[in-house]
């Protein structure tokens, strides 16, 4: 895998956090409850997408923090290098127009009957704030060191650099899905053109 300047990588991750934070504040937080809960043709609602992402954040955030805290250093010029397995998972999650759909593992299935969709939005925003704090910590560490257990299996362990980027790309994938639900909600009841 190729080496990348750590501060450039952190800036790229911070930009992804900022973009996701803006979407959450400007779009999702201001939607009516029925839009957050709207689901077309059995697809996940916006609230369900965010609940799914919150589940991943609950798994990865404490493990990433723990891995990074074991390696706080005064120097911060370590290049980052993603592992082959981390790069594979990141590529797999990249949103693509005709991309492959993956079935969520049972422990990350969303609650489809949430009573408070605004809590899902608030929890997602809080997770992004936590991720931003983790990126500040990563500036002082070597994010190549340490291991983060994957949510798929305790046998799969990622570098913190892999886990951080995986979480952000996975978020991006499901935010694209959530935004599609907004369009479908806005168009419901509008007759289709032939």
């Amino acid at each position: 895998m190729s080496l990348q300047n750590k501060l450039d990588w952190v800036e790229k991750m911070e930009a992804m956090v900022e973009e996701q934070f803006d979407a959450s504040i400007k779009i999702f937080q201001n939607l009516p409850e029925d839009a957050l809960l709207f689901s077309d043709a059995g697809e996940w609602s916006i609230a369900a997408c965010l609940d799914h992402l919150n589940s991943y954040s609950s798994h990865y955030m404490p493990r990433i923090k723990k891995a990074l805290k074991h390696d706080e250093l005064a120097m911060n010029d370590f290049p980052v290098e993603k592992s082959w397995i981390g790069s594979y998972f990141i590529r797999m999650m990249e949103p693509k127009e005709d991309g492959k759909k993956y079935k969520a593992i049972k422990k990350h299935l969303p609650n489809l009957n949430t009573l408070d969709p605004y809590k899902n939005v608030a929890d997602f925003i809080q997770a992004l704030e936590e991720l931003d704090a983790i990126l500040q910590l990563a500036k002082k560490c070597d994010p190549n060191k340490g291991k983060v257990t994957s949510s798929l299996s305790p046998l799969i362990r990622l570098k913190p650099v892999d886990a951080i980027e995986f979480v952000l790309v996975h978020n991006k994938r499901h935010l694209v899905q959530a935004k599609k639900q907004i369009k479908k909600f806005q168009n419901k009841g509008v007759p289709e053109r032939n």
Side-chain angles (χ1 to χ4, degrees):
M1 299 282 106
S2 62
L3 295 175
Q4 187 176 1
N5 177 282
K6 184 176 76 168
L7 294 180
D8 290 345
W9 176 82
V10 169
E11 282 181 15
K12 180 182 172 189
M13 297 304 104
E14 287 174 330
M16 289 176 74
V17 169
E18 189 63 34
E19 182 181 312
Q20 294 173 13
F21 188 75
D22 283 351
S24 302
I25 296 289
K26 293 176 183 170
I27 301 171
F28 303 132
Q29 191 170 267
N30 294 312
L31 287 173
E33 187 173 306
D34 56 339
L36 290 171
L37 295 172
F38 176 77
S39 172
D40 183 54
E43 296 175 344
W44 288 353
S45 67
I46 295 166
C49 289
L50 296 178
D51 189 48
H52 173 69
L53 295 177
N54 292 336
S55 170
Y56 271 83
S57 291
S58 294
H59 174 86
Y60 282 102
M61 296 303 153
R63 288 165 175 82
I64 295 169
K65 273 196 274 190
K66 184 177 179 184
L68 291 176
K69 288 206 179 203
H70 285 291
D71 189 51
E72 283 195 63
L73 302 169
M75 294 173 52
N76 67 359
D77 59 350
F78 297 99
V80 294
E81 183 177 21
K82 291 180 272 199
S83 68
W84 70 269
I85 193 154
S87 295
Y88 171 77
F89 284 130
I90 291 164
R91 272 193 317 273
M92 192 171 84
M93 282 298 119
E94 276 289 343
K96 298 171 190 79
E97 190 59 40
D98 295 327
K100 181 177 178 182
K101 292 186 178 186
Y102 298 99
K103 189 174 171 101
I105 58 176
K106 189 174 182 179
K107 68 181 175 181
H108 292 299
L109 287 172
N111 175 4
L112 300 177
N113 300 311
T114 185
L115 298 176
D116 187 0
Y118 292 110
K119 181 173 180 354
N120 294 18
V121 176
D123 289 349
F124 183 67
I125 291 169
Q126 184 177 358
L128 290 172
E129 290 170 347
E130 190 175 351
L131 193 49
D132 189 55
I134 285 171
L135 287 169
Q136 301 316 305
L137 181 60
K139 288 178 182 178
K140 300 183 280 185
C141 304
D142 180 355
N144 299 302
K145 290 189 176 178
K147 293 295 179 188
V148 178
T149 306
S150 165
S151 66
L152 292 175
S153 164
L155 300 175
I156 301 172
R157 294 164 52 106
L158 305 170
K159 293 179 177 185
V161 66
D162 297 327
I164 291 167
E165 192 162 344
F166 170 80
V167 168
L168 282 165
V169 171
H170 182 246
N171 285 355
K172 184 178 177 182
R173 179 184 187 89
H174 288 287
L175 292 178
V176 167
Q177 180 183 2
K179 288 175 185 176
K180 286 180 182 176
Q181 287 299 322
I182 295 171
K183 289 181 182 171
K184 290 178 181 182
F185 174 78
Q186 292 168 337
N187 293 329
K188 72 178 183 172
V190 176
E192 289 187 32
R193 295 183 196 182
N194 290 332

